[in-house]
Amino acid sequence: MNRLIVYGDDADIKSGEGLVFSYSLGAGSVLNSEVLNDASLLNRIALIYRDRYSDYVYSLNSIFLENDLIYNNDLSLYFISDLSNKRTEIFDTYISICHLILLKRKIKKYNISSVEFIGCDNRFIESFRSSIKVDLTKKRVKTHYIRKGKWYWYFLSQFRFFLKYFFSLIFFKVFFSNKSHGIVNSLFLTRYPQHFVNNSYEEKYGKLVKKDDCYLISILADGMHQGISFYSIIKSILKLNILFANRKIILLDREVGFYDLFKNFLYSMRLFFNFNKVKSGRKFIFIGINITNYIHEEINQSILRIPRLTLYQNAIYCVFHDNVVANFYYHLHEYSYGKFFSYMLNKHFPKVNKIGFQHGPASMRKVLYFLSKYETGYKKKNYRKFLPMPDSVLAEDNYSKRVYEAANYTNIKVMKEVYRLDYLKYISRDHIKKGTVLIACGLHDSKILLDEMRREISINKDRIYYFKLHPRSNQENTLNEIYNINLGNVKIADQHVSKYLEFVEEVVVTYSSVGLEAHKLGIKVRTISLPNRINESPLIESDYYS
């Protein structure tokens, strides 16, 4: 009887006696087992099922409409929900589907009749049971905590956000005054301080912003795309007054009214109960896989976000009513945050030219970018059934343009210059050091990258390997692992990545955008596809280089 261990933790374990197959969902491995993970096949599956999954997710809009989850009597709340975004960096829904499709093939190929789960969450086990029919045993099963949407948890989270917004708004009203700028050629939506370098230079738009153009800045946003402390909010508003004294700026948060706060807080309470109708007694099945608990998690996040977006309805209206705007540039147009701006302008200010702005690397495997072919609402005013769209999109390169076209966007133009990569212009590679490698880690891949590179590092003792950890990753665990391997040719890269791109011979990445930046500098880049994650780097796409 062939046995399979599906393993979900990050530490390595032993397999026990006899022939055992294993499949890892996390960074850990089952030692002395025949590993069934197949990175190449996983990435092919992600590509094959991408459009079908996008169509399925869009089909859930009908449930929103059935339950009257409609804003202003004309916009389906589906379109500004996290569910519609399909964010793989936050939710495991799509990667779990791809794992299960792959596992089903492997189980059939190797005639596996018994499966043991170790360190896996109950969502995955439930989805497995629904789609793969083998004997299951459970040992040391880790239960994954899912936000259940209990009224007290939801109430406290929303109360905390709206309370912070209330006190921030008092400060905004007292210490900042928006001016009417009359005719504005180009208005650029951004967030402060997140996207500003050296305090006053916006890293995404760069020199595209001309002297007479204007920034539309949000400090609070929805509390998720940018979450900062009340102290940082106060510092930010004081800095804005100083740094932009001679520049055109509109603070979006300043236009929110106290009545808007109160109304949307009450709306958030009502939404909680209305959304329960979507979840109650309904199963969500995609290609025979029960993904109900995964979808519930995305819906729960949506309940939190939506009233934080609708909070800005009157503020957006006031900004565009008081200023005649010809062109509106906005990154995050693919997300709920940007979609709400698309809706507001399409409905109230259709003459404004809306230009979606690519904010980072695109990929044919990044389902966030992809819309259902039935979803896009170009020249359509039925916002219950069709997504409000930007008039055009600025893509960073020809490959990204092809991604947007495949994702059912139209009128895609290529940027003349990618300003977020401006720093590359100042990198001089006149003094390359032989035998140096930069390993640039992503948010979730540092341990696996270390494991992948460990043998190579120990063999090539004449080479120096610099580990650049992601600033938001769990650095402590990875640092301990690096120190424990006790190899003198491993160094922690604690300076800005540009310092290392000046002299290294090679860069190793999984999906980090540092790989793309190194490629643009002509540095040799090695891309490693992780066995348990979809690789969303365009560097693994053959047509990226065409």
Side-chain angles (χ1 to χ4, degrees):
M1 181 175 71
N2 291 333
R3 182 166 64 98
L4 169 68
I5 295 175
V6 181
Y7 184 53
D9 273 336
D10 292 337
D12 296 341
I13 61 169
K14 294 181 180 180
S15 64
E17 298 180 358
L19 176 63
V20 176
F21 295 91
S22 70
Y23 191 90
S24 294
L25 302 175
S29 302
V30 180
L31 304 177
N32 304 316
S33 66
E34 188 167 333
V35 178
L36 299 186
N37 288 81
D38 186 333
S40 177
L41 178 56
L42 185 69
N43 284 314
R44 288 202 304 275
I45 288 170
L47 198 59
I48 290 168
Y49 285 88
R50 179 199 67 203
D51 294 341
R52 193 169 173 183
Y53 180 67
S54 298
D55 287 345
Y56 169 77
V57 173
Y58 170 66
S59 74
L60 302 182
N61 181 43
S62 62
I63 302 173
F64 282 68
L65 299 180
E66 289 168 9
N67 288 281
D68 201 31
L69 288 168
I70 300 167
Y71 185 68
N72 281 346
N73 203 34
D74 67 349
L75 174 69
S76 171
L77 291 181
Y78 164 81
F79 292 120
I80 55 173
S81 70
D82 283 78
L83 177 63
S84 72
N85 291 164
K86 306 180 291 293
R87 294 181 64 178
T88 53
E89 80 276 20
I90 296 179
F91 305 111
D92 289 335
T93 312
Y94 190 58
I95 181 61
S96 298
I97 289 167
C98 295
H99 281 316
L100 288 165
I101 294 169
L102 191 154
L103 273 170
K104 193 170 186 177
R105 296 183 186 184
K106 296 289 185 178
I107 285 171
K108 183 177 181 181
K109 178 178 179 180
Y110 293 101
N111 196 28
I112 291 168
S113 55
S114 175
V115 178
E116 178 182 359
F117 296 95
I118 301 176
C120 301
D121 66 59
N122 285 332
R123 298 173 307 167
F124 188 84
I125 296 172
E126 179 185 85
S127 296
F128 187 104
R129 287 178 184 274
S130 70
S131 58
I132 302 174
K133 308 303 180 186
V134 292
D135 292 334
L136 303 180
T137 60
K138 287 200 287 183
K139 178 183 179 183
R140 291 176 281 162
V141 173
K142 179 180 71 175
T143 301
H144 176 81
Y145 174 70
I146 305 172
R147 292 173 176 170
K148 296 293 185 182
K150 297 293 186 183
W151 69 269
Y152 52 84
W153 173 86
Y154 178 78
F155 177 84
L156 288 174
S157 180
Q158 292 296 58
F159 181 75
R160 187 165 53 245
F161 171 79
F162 281 94
L163 184 65
K164 183 168 79 170
Y165 209 115
F166 173 79
F167 287 109
S168 300
L169 191 55
I170 294 173
F171 201 83
F172 295 156
K173 300 284 188 184
V174 173
F175 290 98
F176 195 91
S177 178
N178 279 328
K179 299 175 183 177
S180 175
H181 298 287
I183 298 175
V184 177
N185 182 57
S186 295
L187 181 65
F188 293 81
L189 176 67
T190 185
R191 287 160 289 158
Y192 186 88
Q194 182 170 340
H195 290 302
F196 284 83
V197 181
N198 298 325
N199 293 318
S200 61
Y201 183 81
E202 215 281 353
E203 62 177 350
K204 303 287 186 182
Y205 302 125
K207 295 177 183 177
L208 187 64
V209 183
K210 306 303 180 187
K211 183 180 179 180
D212 293 329
D213 292 334
C214 187
Y215 288 118
L216 177 59
I217 287 178
S218 179
I219 294 176
L220 287 160
D222 57 8
M224 297 178 182
H225 280 296
Q226 176 170 271
I228 60 177
S229 67
F230 185 68
Y231 174 70
S232 296
I233 291 169
I234 294 173
K235 280 178 58 180
S236 295
I237 196 65
L238 294 177
K239 280 187 176 182
L240 283 179
N241 270 320
I242 298 169
L243 294 171
F244 292 92
N246 298 317
R247 294 290 300 273
K248 289 186 176 181
I249 175 177
I250 300 170
L251 181 62
L252 180 65
D253 306 325
R254 172 66 171 74
E255 297 302 316
V256 173
F258 290 103
Y259 176 71
D260 297 323
L261 275 175
F262 179 72
K263 183 179 72 173
N264 280 277
F265 177 70
L266 294 181
Y267 181 55
S268 71
M269 297 299 105
R270 182 157 58 90
L271 272 185
F272 173 78
F273 296 102
N274 289 347
F275 263 91
N276 281 338
K277 300 174 186 176
V278 176
K279 297 187 293 181
S280 180
R282 180 179 281 107
K283 288 186 176 181
F284 297 92
I285 310 294
F286 175 67
I287 57 170
I289 301 172
N290 184 350
I291 56 173
T292 300
N293 282 331
Y294 288 106
I295 296 295
H296 282 185
E297 187 176 26
E298 298 192 29
I299 289 174
N300 290 340
Q301 181 81 354
S302 302
I303 304 171
L304 273 179
R305 190 185 302 275
I306 288 170
R308 302 181 183 191
L309 295 176
T310 57
L311 170 66
Y312 287 100
Q313 174 182 288
N314 289 332
I316 295 170
Y317 184 87
C318 286
V319 168
F320 286 89
H321 180 268
D322 295 344
N323 301 274
V324 180
V325 178
N327 304 293
F328 178 63
Y329 291 81
Y330 56 132
H331 45 71
L332 295 183
H333 69 93
E334 310 96 337
Y335 295 74
S336 300
Y337 185 71
K339 289 175 182 178
F340 190 66
F341 280 87
S342 296
Y343 160 70
M344 285 296 297
L345 296 187
N346 277 2
K347 179 178 180 179
H348 298 289
F349 304 95
K351 292 183 180 180
V352 176
N353 181 29
K354 301 176 302 299
I355 304 162
F357 196 92
Q358 184 180 342
H359 70 285
S363 167
M364 290 292 183
R365 290 172 173 80
K366 195 164 186 173
V367 291
L368 163 75
Y369 279 83
F370 285 81
L371 303 172
S372 168
K373 57 183 175 292
Y374 308 109
E375 181 175 5
T376 54
Y378 288 104
K379 297 182 180 180
K380 294 175 181 175
K381 295 183 179 180
N382 183 348
Y383 306 132
R384 295 184 177 207
K385 293 187 176 180
F386 300 103
L387 173 67
M389 303 295 293
D391 298 304
S392 62
V393 172
L394 275 179
E396 291 188 347
D397 47 43
N398 286 320
Y399 172 79
S400 299
K401 181 176 184 287
R402 292 194 292 272
V403 170
Y404 277 112
E405 288 170 344
N408 294 307
Y409 287 84
T410 62
N411 197 16
I412 318 301
K413 302 173 184 177
V414 177
M415 298 178 193
K416 294 180 180 179
E417 192 168 353
V418 182
Y419 293 104
R420 71 178 182 86
L421 302 180
D422 264 358
Y423 82 95
L424 298 179
K425 297 177 184 177
Y426 305 102
I427 293 177
S428 171
R429 288 187 49 79
D430 295 334
H431 303 287
I432 299 171
K433 297 179 183 179
K434 290 187 178 181
T436 54
V437 180
L438 174 65
I439 302 173
C441 302
L443 184 58
H444 303 292
D445 64 4
S446 54
K447 182 187 183 302
I448 300 179
L449 255 179
L450 179 60
D451 291 343
E452 288 278 341
M453 298 296 296
R454 191 190 302 256
R455 186 170 182 275
E456 177 183 325
I457 293 170
S458 62
I459 292 173
N460 297 285
K461 295 182 179 179
D462 58 334
R463 306 192 82 192
I464 298 176
Y465 293 83
Y466 294 89
F467 260 85
K468 181 63 178 173
L469 302 178
H470 192 283
R472 297 200 307 274
S473 66
N474 187 345
Q475 296 190 18
E476 184 177 351
N477 290 344
T478 307
L479 287 172
N480 288 336
E481 291 243 2
I482 291 173
Y483 294 141
N484 287 337
I485 64 175
N486 196 27
L487 292 171
N489 59 334
V490 176
K491 296 183 182 296
I492 303 300
D494 55 4
Q495 299 184 61
H496 190 272
V497 69
S498 59
K499 176 71 176 177
Y500 305 95
L501 294 179
E502 288 180 350
F503 65 81
V504 295
E505 278 191 320
E506 183 182 15
V507 172
V508 178
V509 296
T510 57
Y511 55 83
S512 171
S513 61
V514 175
L516 284 169
E517 291 152 28
H519 172 70
K520 291 179 184 296
L521 290 170
I523 303 173
K524 179 184 176 183
V525 180
R526 193 188 335 165
T527 307
I528 296 174
S529 289
L530 301 180
N532 63 337
R533 302 299 300 178
I534 298 169
N535 194 327
E536 295 180 345
S537 170
L539 290 174
I540 69 168
E541 308 287 354
S542 58
D543 66 337
Y544 173 74
Y545 303 93
S546 61

